[in-house]
Amino acid sequence: MPAPLRHVETSPRLPASADAVVIGGGIVGVFAAYYLAGRGLTVALVEKGRIGAEQSSRNWGWCRQQNRDARELPMATRSLDLWEAFGAESGEDTGFSRCGLLYLSNDDAELSRWARWRDFARTADVVTHMLDSGEATRRGAATQRAWKGGVFSPTDGIADPANAAPAVARAILKQSSTVHQMCAARGLETEGGRVSAVVTEHGVIRTRVAILAAGAWASSFCRQLDIRFPQASIRSSILSVSAGARGLPDALHTAAISVTRRGDGGYTLAISGRGRIDPTLQQLRFAPQFAPMFLRRWRSLLPGGLEGLRAGHETLGRWRLDRPTPMERMRILDPAPDRNTLRLTHQRAIDLLPELNNTTVSASWAGYIDSTPDGVPAIGATSVLPGLILAAGFSGHGFGLGPGAGHLIADLVAGSTPIVDPKPFEPDRFLGFKVGKVADF
């Protein structure tokens, strides 16, 4: 595990019924449950393991608008406002702050792309500052090198991955809804062609609305319902170092390395986009649709090993509702990190930021980033099964987008005006085999 997760109390009894059941206790699931409960609905949140224990606690913690794809930018902007508002309205601390994000580069083509994004962002009233060589070098003084240019996005920020999802779960409990850990959802029951109940390992919850926010498990769960949801997982490896480095930016990105300050004063270190593809039958099944994305990212994606097959989250198998499922055999996805990537990450970080020589490696871990073929999440109802809302495939952007995605789900369930246009996220776009424009990461 990347850091000790905050403890969340599990509700003592599984309710017989609820207005909505949320499947999955990651950042998207907890925010969906929070905003649904805030509208007066009774909500049961079921999680096969612990709240926030998978990718929601294994990411960098960035909450950004900078360089977002146009389809995601409105949600990113609203999410930042919701991150900020959550602490005030709930009394819980997610570690969120608008510290600003710093990007540095010596590559002319990269700087040109950032400048084009700045021009686009202006049309959406998003502020981002292009830095000339002098300003970039000054802001990047901790690197002790000169830079051609960069970007500073002052309204973007970070939150604490170890605390965020548990904080939201605690807020749910204050709203007279329930949270159930170590309680896997095995499947759904239907009546009259729509959702009528969620079947868990501990009992059945009658409901007419189920929100599937199951992260890397979503596609295999959908398969049980005869819903085709193309999804591929990338194994990303990250490490953290202890406190001791002085004068570093709170959040810094370069092509070689990205660095983020942690709540304990240490730093998370990662190489953006680098990961391993662990082959599974699900990967092979959806390979044609993912070909454009993988070809675009071939320089940073490496072949993996048997981690995915061992984990079971991408199984093509079918399971029964009265028997233990793969989710109960693998409560928390905790894949082995790639040691070569960890060594490269640490070396690059020390080369870039000499102050990191005053720190020691405190932890290393890996996580599965669940992706869609176009890199944009699936959020919304499915035409195949009324009553089911899918919220998955966030492609490494789910942590920052969590509040906005949760709010949008609550809007769709309640029939309210959506916080953002839901059309770009409609899950039914994946029912065919055509791939839309791959997102600009």
Side-chain angles (χ1 to χ4, degrees):
M1 296 293 293
L5 279 170
R6 278 280 189 89
H7 177 68
V8 177
E9 291 289 341
T10 290
S11 301
R13 293 189 192 86
L14 199 70
S17 64
D19 293 324
V21 176
V22 177
I23 302 168
I27 198 69
V28 174
V30 294
F31 268 117
Y34 173 74
Y35 288 118
L36 284 165
R39 293 167 191 250
L41 278 68
T42 58
V43 183
L45 173 66
V46 297
E47 162 57 44
K48 63 180 173 54
R50 293 184 62 193
I51 296 295
E54 293 190 343
Q55 192 56 24
S56 291
S57 62
R58 296 164 187 262
N59 60 86
W60 304 0
W62 283 33
C63 307
R64 65 178 172 88
Q65 301 164 101
Q66 180 66 38
N67 293 338
R68 286 283 188 207
D69 185 86
R71 291 162 288 185
E72 290 185 345
L73 182 58
M75 182 177 287
T77 300
R78 298 305 301 271
S79 291
L80 283 162
D81 295 337
L82 293 171
W83 274 111
E84 203 160 43
F86 172 78
E89 66 190 26
S90 70
E92 298 288 346
D93 182 15
T94 63
F96 175 75
S97 68
R98 289 187 187 255
C99 59
L101 308 181
L102 176 63
Y103 294 65
L104 299 173
S105 181
N106 281 320
D107 183 273
D108 291 327
E110 187 171 46
L111 291 169
S112 294
R113 287 196 301 273
W114 292 347
R116 288 195 297 273
W117 191 90
R118 183 270 319 272
D119 295 340
F120 153 70
R122 284 174 175 166
T123 68
D125 296 323
V126 174
V127 177
T128 185
H129 302 302
M130 291 298 299
L131 309 178
D132 62 20
S133 177
E135 183 68 8
T137 301
R138 184 185 69 78
R139 285 187 177 271
T143 67
Q144 300 181 16
R145 64 180 68 177
W147 296 92
K148 282 188 176 181
V151 172
F152 184 67
S153 52
T155 58
D156 289 349
I158 57 176
D160 185 350
N163 287 335
V168 183
R170 291 194 299 272
I172 295 166
L173 292 171
K174 296 176 184 178
Q175 295 175 308
S176 300
S177 285
T178 57
V179 174
H180 308 275
Q181 297 173 101
M182 298 297 168
C183 181
R186 292 177 171 175
L188 305 180
E189 290 182 351
T190 61
E191 191 174 282
R194 65 166 295 123
V195 171
S196 61
V198 174
V199 180
T200 81
E201 63 179 292
H202 297 312
V204 177
I205 308 173
R206 306 297 299 178
T207 188
R208 290 180 63 80
V209 177
I211 294 100
L212 181 60
W217 298 85
S219 183
S220 61
F221 194 100
C222 283
R223 180 171 169 77
Q224 313 308 307
L225 308 170
D226 294 320
I227 296 173
R228 186 179 185 279
F229 176 45
Q231 188 178 36
S233 295
I234 308 300
R235 177 161 50 100
S236 175
S237 299
I238 302 178
L239 61 91
S240 64
V241 295
S242 64
R246 295 180 297 176
L248 274 58
D250 286 342
L252 169 65
H253 168 77
T254 69
I257 196 75
S258 296
V259 180
T260 313
R261 185 185 297 275
R262 300 171 63 85
D264 60 5
Y267 287 85
T268 296
L269 314 178
I271 299 175
S272 180
R274 186 181 176 94
R276 289 195 177 271
I277 303 174
D278 295 327
T280 64
L281 292 178
Q282 181 175 294
Q283 295 268 10
L284 294 173
R285 180 191 184 201
F286 295 129
Q289 281 181 276
F290 277 92
M293 177 185 289
F294 289 164
L295 287 172
R296 187 171 184 171
R297 299 179 58 192
W298 67 271
R299 289 183 178 85
S300 56
L301 293 179
L302 306 169
L306 300 178
E307 288 287 321
L309 288 172
R310 293 193 191 103
H313 62 295
E314 292 190 343
T315 179
L316 293 184
R318 304 273 185 164
W319 57 73
R320 291 174 50 171
L321 303 188
D322 61 349
R323 299 275 181 86
T325 67
M327 288 88 73
E328 290 145 86
R329 290 189 286 272
M330 180 61 70
R331 294 286 180 181
I332 296 172
L333 278 178
D334 189 24
D338 175 22
R339 295 296 166 187
N340 290 333
T341 292
L342 295 179
R343 283 192 290 270
L344 180 62
T345 300
H346 194 223
Q347 187 58 56
R348 284 186 180 183
I350 290 174
D351 290 346
L352 181 71
L353 298 161
E355 269 291 317
L356 290 176
N357 282 298
N358 298 319
T359 69
T360 57
V361 174
S362 54
S364 61
W365 64 91
Y368 278 115
I369 297 173
D370 60 304
S371 301
T372 61
D374 59 10
V376 175
I379 309 171
T382 67
S383 60
V384 177
L385 181 57
L388 175 65
I389 304 290
L390 182 60
F394 280 79
S395 306
H397 308 159
F399 187 76
L401 296 178
H407 200 295
L408 175 59
I409 291 162
D411 294 337
L412 295 174
V413 172
S416 305
T417 301
I419 189 171
V420 296
D421 180 8
K423 188 167 183 57
F425 310 109
E426 290 178 349
D428 280 0
R429 73 185 191 275
F430 295 122
L431 293 182
F433 289 85
K434 184 179 178 182
V435 178
K437 178 183 180 294
V438 176
D440 297 316
F441 288 93

